[in-house]
């Protein structure tokens, strides 16, 4: 039996720019919801959510751990006169909130995307001094892509220079015009003491050691008018979403508080409205009402079933299947995260969209087409695990010890196979070489790398056959730094680590034909492979296509896959500088064979030779990753920073201004951006900051191409 009905579930993420206060907010949430009884400060490294060592040290959250907690509207409990009455309210009003952790650093946007896939709603936290920061914009647009309903929490209103109005304006200006405050702050900076609730039209303060006592107050006299006005604007705005209510509002001049909350809920879930709240997590103000907002305005899995039905495809026929968020439907779940837990080993985090999952049962991994036995399932409470016998629709949990499941796989009822839409991961753009210190380290590296790659689909491992070194690739400098760190700590590998290298690619711009002949016929059994190929450039992103145009048996069917294999191996070897070749079409149009001497091996070699030859004459070029960079600097340094960007082959696309800070949007090749954090710091006396993400692959200029070929870049 399920303990909470589906409408009392909230699967949410707390989304924020690094340093906006996500960790502090999450901790307060765990404290107020009763899971964590001691508030740990971030600087002491006692954060409950960040339980991986290096995350604590860096103060950032990388893995998406999922945490379960429970909440009853603080507003409802506020009206209860004694503990007994409160208990009664809890019995019917308690909700289960699953918090899916989302990372704050731009190197981990893929982690953000995958968590956005499984969560139903988000709380976006902003720094009340800085307002919208570059990363918040990136994440906001990702959330738009997945149509994730959101509420905003403007944090840090106790800080010097904090401004609710300015932060709200930056949200409206840069993220959505549909953001409206449901609260106003009382006082700011050191005088920040509470909030005015614009629906209830009541003021609240937060007292007690951890702000756990919510005290109703008079709305300060000098705020009354402002609050009335803000409420009127709000009500007018939301009346637009519902014609019947609009009429009622026009004739009566008002709506009931319940009606207001109800429309806000519907409009928010429909992604047409974004309620804005405020507070200071550090000073224990406002977090409880933000939790109320999660219940009031963010969707339950049932709402999600209506606005974004859960779609998948039949494994055999490819036909589209829709699953309802219900325990009675066949079991369908997505594995969204693999983690290694120091105590229990591998943990596969899953979200159930429909049906239920029982301990001891078998499920089908429909992505990989194999069955897995479910021996143990746990619910994660951020730092402890609870063993559970059965999980239901809407639940988020982790399976212990799955062998063949990786991130993004669908798990389902073997009798009702379905594949959910895959999570797409971009290719890594940066790599480093790792050289083990001893023979024993060499062996450990293999295990460590395999494990880390299973957890993180944007991380790749390959070997350099010439030097025996291991090459690892990822999404950014920090990403690789953290992986190397984990390799050393968790797996005890000692290794020398090289400098980061750009993951270049190669392609062709023209068209050409060539012949590949691998013929040896002197004594004994000979070799005979002979092919003619045509190569042609494909559009960016198309990858590799192989076309077979052999007619009349010039080459027997059995040698054609071997030829393709030879071409593929040759693609990996590159044309100009040994980087993988992308976006080419290769057509096999002619050739010949020998009754006795031909073999698959001979055709493989012939295919490889012909491709190399043809590609050389088809205008080969090197592609380099181009990054989207946003830099924030005070006016005084703008000249130095833009000058430096031009020297880096950067293209400045926009120059803006935000709260007295200049904002530079530019595109810069990745190879020019190594060590930029240090450079920017020294150019701006530590006052500049930047974010960077992969944009696309672009042809490298000839002078740079030469340097790449010579291994100088
Ligand atoms: P995260 O990087 O988003 O997880 O942010 P943290 O929670 O680690 O917070 C970053 C810094 O801001 C830490 O030094 C916190 O103590 C501080 N901080 C968080 N919330 C508040 C707040 O409400 N007011 C003030 N003044 N500082 C805060």
């Amino acid at each position: 039996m399920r303990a909470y009905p589906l409408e009392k579930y909230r699967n949410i993420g707390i989304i924020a720019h690094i340093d906006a206060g996500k960790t502090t907010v999450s901790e307060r949430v765990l404290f107020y919801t009763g899971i964590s009884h001691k508030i740990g400060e971030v600087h002491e490294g006692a954060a409950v959510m960040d339980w991986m060592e290096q995350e604590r040290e860096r103060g950032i959250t990388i893995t998406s751990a999922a945490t379960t907690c429970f909440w009853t509207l603080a507003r409802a409990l506020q009206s209860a006169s004694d503990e007994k009455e409160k208990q009664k309210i809890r019995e019917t009003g308690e909700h289960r909130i699953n918090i899916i952790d989302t990372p704050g650093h731009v190197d981990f946007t893929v982690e953000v995307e995958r968590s956005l896939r499984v969560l139903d709603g988000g709380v976006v936290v902003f720094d009340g001094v800085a307002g919208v920061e570059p990363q918040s914009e990136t994440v906001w647009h990702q959330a738009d892509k997945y149509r994730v309903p959101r509420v905003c929490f403007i944090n840090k209103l106790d800080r010097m220079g904090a401004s609710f109005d300015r932060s709200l304006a930056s949200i409206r200006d840069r993220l959505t015009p549909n953001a409206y405050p449901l609260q106003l702050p009382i006082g700011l900076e050191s005088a920040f003491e509470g909030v005015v609730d614009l629906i209830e039209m009541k003021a609240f303060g937060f007292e007690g050691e951890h702000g756990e006592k919510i005290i109703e107050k008079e709305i300060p006299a000098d705020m009354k008018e402002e609050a009335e006005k803000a409420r009127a604007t709000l009500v007018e705005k939301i009346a637009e979403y519902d014609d019947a209510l609009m009429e009622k509002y026009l004739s009566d001049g008002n709506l009931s508080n319940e009606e207001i909350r109800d429309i806000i809920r519907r409009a928010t879930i429909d992604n047409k409205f974004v309620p804005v709240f405020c507070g200071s997590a550090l000073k224990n103000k406002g977090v409880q009402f933000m939790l109320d907002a999660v219940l009031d305005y963010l969707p339950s899995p049932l709402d999600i079933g209506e606005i974004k039905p859960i779609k998948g495809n039949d494994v055999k026929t490819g036909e589209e299947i829709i699953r309802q968020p219900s325990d009675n439907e066949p079991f369908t779940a997505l594995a969204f995260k693999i983690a290694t837990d120091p105590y229990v080993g591998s943990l596969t985090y899953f979200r159930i969209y429909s049906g239920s999952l029982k301990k001891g049962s078998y499920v089908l991994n429909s992505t990989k087409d194999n069955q897995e036995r479910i021996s143990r399932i746990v619910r994660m409470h951020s730092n402890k695990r609870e063993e559970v016998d059965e999980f239901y629709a809407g639940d988020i949990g982790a399976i212990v010890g799955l062998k063949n499941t990786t991130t993004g796989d669908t798990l389902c009822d073997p009798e009702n196979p379905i594949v959910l839409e895959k999570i797409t991961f971009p290719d890594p753009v940066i790599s480093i070489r790792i050289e083990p210190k001893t023979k024993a380290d060499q062996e450990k590296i293999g295990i460590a790398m395999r494990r880390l790659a299973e957890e993180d689909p944007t991380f790749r491992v390959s070997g350099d056959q010439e030097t025996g070194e291991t090459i690892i690739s990822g999404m950014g400098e920090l990403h690789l730094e953290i992986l190397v760190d984990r390799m050393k700590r968790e797996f005890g590998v000692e290794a020398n680590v090289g400098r980061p290298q750009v993951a270049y690619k190669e392609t062709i711009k023209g068209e050409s034909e060539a012949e590949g002949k691998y013929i040896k016929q002197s004594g004994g059994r000979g070799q005979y492979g002979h092919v003619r190929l045509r190569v042609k450039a494909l559009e960016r992103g198309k990858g590799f296509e192989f076309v077979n145009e052999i007619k009349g048996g010039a080459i027997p069917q059995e040698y054609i896959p071997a030829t393709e294999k030879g071409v593929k191996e040759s693609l990996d070897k590159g044309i100009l500088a040994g980087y993988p070749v992308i976006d080419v079409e290769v057509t096999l149009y002619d050739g010949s064979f020998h009754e006795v001497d031909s073999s698959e091996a001979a055709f493989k070699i012939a295919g490889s030779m012909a491709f190399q030859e043809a590609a050389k004459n088809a205008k080969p070029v090197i592609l380099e990753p181009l990054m989207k960079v946003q830099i924030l600097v005070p006016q005084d340094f703008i000249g130095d920073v833009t000058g430096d960007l031009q020297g880096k082959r950067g293209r400045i696309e926009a120059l803006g201004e935000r709260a007295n800070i200049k904002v530079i949007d530019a595109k810069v090749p990745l190879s020019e951006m190594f060590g930029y954090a240090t450079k920017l710091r020294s150019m701006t006396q530590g006052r500049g900051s930047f974010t960077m993400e992969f944009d696309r692959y672009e042809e490298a200029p000839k002078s740079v191409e030469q340097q790449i070929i010579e291994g100088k870049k």
Side-chain angles (χ1 to χ4, degrees):
M1 262 292 290
R2 62 185 306 144
Y4 292 78
L6 258 180
E7 64 269 19
K8 292 214 167 68
Y9 268 59
R10 297 290 180 276
N11 289 324
I12 62 151
I14 298 175
I15 301 168
H17 185 280
I18 186 162
D19 252 13
K22 193 183 70 194
T23 311
T24 314
V25 169
S26 307
E27 275 197 319
R28 293 319 187 253
V29 166
L30 297 183
F31 176 77
Y32 295 124
T33 57
I35 297 281
S36 156
H37 293 281
K38 181 175 162 285
I39 289 194
E41 293 301 342
V42 176
H43 53 84
E44 289 167 6
V48 185
M49 293 288 273
D50 289 1
W51 45 281
M52 282 171 65
E53 244 181 289
Q54 70 273 41
E55 287 182 27
R56 269 207 298 260
E57 283 178 8
R58 288 168 199 267
I60 56 173
T61 311
I62 301 151
T63 39
S64 30
T67 306
T68 297
C69 57
F70 304 94
W71 189 246
T72 304
L73 286 176
R75 184 178 67 244
L77 293 172
Q78 195 67 12
S79 63
S81 52
D82 57 20
E83 195 46 47
K84 211 170 129 205
E85 207 176 317
K86 281 191 180 165
Q87 202 44 44
K88 244 172 126 180
I89 295 172
R90 283 196 192 99
E91 268 163 33
T92 53
E94 191 163 85
H95 287 60
R96 163 174 282 159
I97 305 178
N98 292 314
I99 304 176
I100 295 119
D101 196 12
T102 56
H105 194 278
V106 74
D107 272 10
F108 308 105
T109 44
V110 179
E111 293 262 350
V112 180
E113 290 225 13
R114 82 164 123 195
S115 32
L116 290 175
R117 251 303 279 279
V118 292
L119 52 81
D120 296 332
V123 175
V124 187
V125 178
F126 297 89
D127 179 326
V129 179
V132 175
E133 293 166 89
Q135 168 89 45
S136 336
E137 259 180 295
T138 312
V139 179
W140 190 273
H141 297 313
Q142 284 169 318
D144 282 343
K145 182 169 128 192
Y146 290 102
R147 295 182 52 222
V148 174
R150 275 148 274 176
V151 302
C152 293
F153 182 71
I154 300 179
N155 188 33
K156 299 200 187 181
L157 287 184
D158 63 300
R159 265 186 72 192
M160 273 264 281
S163 163
F164 179 74
D165 293 341
R166 199 181 58 230
S167 301
L168 175 66
S170 75
I171 294 174
R172 284 224 181 121
D173 180 34
R174 304 190 31 210
L175 305 179
T176 169
N178 297 325
Y180 281 79
L182 267 52
Q183 292 179 333
L184 292 180
I186 305 174
L188 278 177
E189 303 181 338
S190 59
F192 175 59
E193 53 175 279
V195 296
V196 174
D197 177 331
L198 293 177
I199 297 178
E200 298 285 325
M201 284 306 267
K202 288 178 182 165
F204 295 99
F206 304 87
E207 291 176 8
E209 195 189 346
H210 299 306
E212 64 278 11
K213 290 200 198 91
I214 302 175
I215 309 290
E216 192 181 326
K217 298 177 169 181
E218 279 288 305
I219 298 181
D222 61 352
M223 282 187 73
K224 279 211 169 97
E225 200 184 325
E226 186 195 354
E228 296 285 354
K229 243 172 85 188
R231 185 181 208 272
T233 314
L234 171 71
V235 173
E236 215 165 285
K237 168 75 185 167
I238 58 167
E240 284 173 17
Y241 295 111
D242 188 308
D243 290 344
L245 286 176
M246 184 61 146
E247 257 171 51
K248 180 168 181 284
Y249 173 63
L250 290 176
S251 61
D252 304 1
N254 207 355
L255 299 173
S256 76
N257 294 351
E258 284 317 313
E259 280 168 333
I260 295 175
R261 274 192 284 265
D262 183 55
I263 320 182
I264 295 180
R265 174 173 181 81
R266 281 186 280 132
T268 305
I269 292 175
D270 204 16
N271 274 288
K272 294 200 172 106
F273 187 86
V274 179
V276 180
F277 299 83
C278 64
S280 160
L282 189 69
K283 294 288 156 66
N284 305 309
K285 290 183 172 58
V287 174
Q288 296 99 319
F289 289 133
M290 181 210 86
L291 280 164
D292 278 9
V294 168
L295 307 198
D296 281 333
Y297 308 118
L298 292 181
S300 77
L302 281 182
D303 298 310
I304 289 294
E306 283 173 28
I307 58 163
K308 314 186 265 201
I310 303 119
K311 286 186 197 157
N313 296 93
D314 186 295
V315 173
K316 290 210 179 71
T317 63
E319 212 176 301
E320 186 174 279
I321 306 175
I322 298 209
R323 291 268 190 261
Q324 301 304 325
S326 152
D327 299 340
N328 302 325
E329 289 263 305
F331 170 67
T332 308
L334 184 76
F336 66 94
K337 171 91 197 168
I338 315 288
T340 313
D341 180 281
Y343 302 101
V344 298
S346 133
L347 283 177
T348 305
Y349 285 86
F350 61 88
R351 149 118 199 211
I352 304 185
Y353 289 98
S354 64
S356 64
L357 177 68
K358 265 203 188 71
K359 185 173 141 175
S361 67
Y362 282 87
V363 299
L364 174 71
N365 175 334
S366 53
T367 312
K368 301 236 160 54
D369 193 25
N370 57 38
Q371 293 223 3
E372 296 253 31
R373 196 181 114 87
I374 308 300
S375 55
R376 284 168 72 196
I377 344 173
V378 292
R379 176 166 283 134
M380 306 297 287
H381 295 280
S382 91
N383 59 348
K384 78 174 204 298
R385 294 163 222 90
E386 172 199 358
E387 298 247 354
V388 178
D389 290 337
E390 188 164 6
F391 273 79
Y392 301 91
D395 267 325
I396 288 178
I399 305 168
V400 180
L402 281 194
K403 293 274 176 317
N404 299 311
T405 297
T406 50
T407 302
D409 289 357
T410 302
L411 299 174
C412 63
D413 175 1
E415 304 294 319
N416 292 280
I418 179 174
V419 185
L420 297 170
E421 195 192 330
K422 283 210 181 65
I423 306 179
T424 47
F425 299 107
D427 278 340
V429 288
I430 169 168
S431 63
I432 46 177
R433 284 170 182 272
I434 301 179
E435 189 197 345
K437 286 207 171 126
T438 66
K439 190 95 189 120
D441 288 321
Q442 171 95 53
E443 275 156 29
K444 278 193 278 181
I445 278 191
I447 299 170
M449 291 300 153
R450 211 173 321 122
R451 197 70 79 62
L452 293 171
E454 267 165 21
E455 287 180 21
D456 178 355
T458 58
F459 166 62
R460 308 272 164 80
V461 190
S462 58
D464 184 327
Q465 273 159 7
E466 280 163 33
T467 62
E469 288 167 324
T470 301
I471 301 168
I472 62 172
S473 317
M475 302 309 298
E477 274 178 287
L478 181 62
H479 185 203
L480 291 184
E481 217 178 278
I482 285 172
L483 288 162
V484 167
D485 204 32
R486 289 190 60 190
M487 174 189 86
K488 289 184 176 166
R489 274 166 204 264
E490 287 173 33
F491 299 91
V493 178
E494 289 295 321
N496 296 319
V497 178
R499 287 210 316 195
Q501 302 278 328
V502 177
Y504 295 108
K505 307 247 187 231
E506 300 186 16
T507 192
I508 52 172
K509 282 168 70 184
E511 236 185 284
S512 170
E513 290 180 357
E515 183 174 39
K517 266 191 193 161
Y518 184 66
I519 301 175
K520 283 209 173 112
Q521 287 173 317
S522 51
R525 193 185 152 183
Q527 298 278 7
Y528 191 103
H530 174 212
V531 300
R532 286 178 204 272
L533 298 178
R534 185 161 51 238
V535 300
K536 201 173 96 183
L538 284 181
E539 236 174 90
R540 195 68 60 248
K542 289 270 190 248
F544 166 61
E545 276 167 31
F546 186 81
V547 184
N548 173 17
E549 271 182 9
I550 294 291
K551 289 190 198 82
I555 302 175
Q557 184 55 38
E558 58 190 295
Y559 300 134
I560 289 171
T563 310
E564 179 175 353
K565 208 164 160 208
V567 171
K568 267 199 190 143
E569 283 179 11
S570 193
L571 287 177
D572 289 340
K573 286 198 202 108
I575 315 160
L576 294 170
Y579 293 102
V581 180
I582 56 168
D583 305 333
V584 288
E585 182 187 270
V586 176
T587 307
L588 171 63
Y589 67 92
D590 198 9
S592 64
F593 73 105
H594 184 280
E595 285 293 350
V596 182
D597 293 344
S598 277
S599 66
E600 286 185 13
F603 273 92
K604 207 173 112 186
I605 296 171
S608 167
M609 287 165 61
F611 174 77
Q612 280 293 329
E613 190 57 31
K616 269 191 207 117
N617 298 319
K619 303 204 187 98
V621 289
I622 294 183
L623 298 172
E624 61 177 347
L626 191 68
M627 308 305 280
K628 194 157 96 191
V629 182
Q630 188 170 61
I631 308 167
L632 305 185
V633 282
Q635 169 70 41
D636 293 355
F637 306 106
I638 190 95
D640 289 349
V641 173
T642 51
D644 175 67
L645 277 179
Q646 272 146 12
K648 292 183 176 314
R649 298 189 282 131
R651 270 162 275 163
I652 295 170
E653 302 197 322
L655 258 180
E657 185 156 347
R658 190 182 309 154
N660 299 325
I661 292 267
K662 295 282 176 205
V663 183
I664 307 168
D665 284 298
K667 297 268 166 65
V668 191
L670 175 62
S671 61
E672 306 285 346
M673 289 300 290
F674 286 154
Y676 191 64
T678 318
K679 179 95 190 274
L680 183 66
R681 221 176 294 131
S682 72
M683 271 190 299
T684 61
Q685 296 167 9
R687 294 175 59 203
S689 66
F690 80 106
T691 57
M692 170 166 94
E693 66 180 297
F694 172 69
D695 188 53
R696 64 193 140 99
Y697 272 97
E698 201 185 58
E699 188 184 335
K702 280 289 161 229
S703 58
V704 175
E705 183 175 293
Q706 197 49 41
Q707 287 176 302
I708 298 170
I709 293 172
E710 287 165 12
K712 291 187 188 143
K713 238 182 163 48

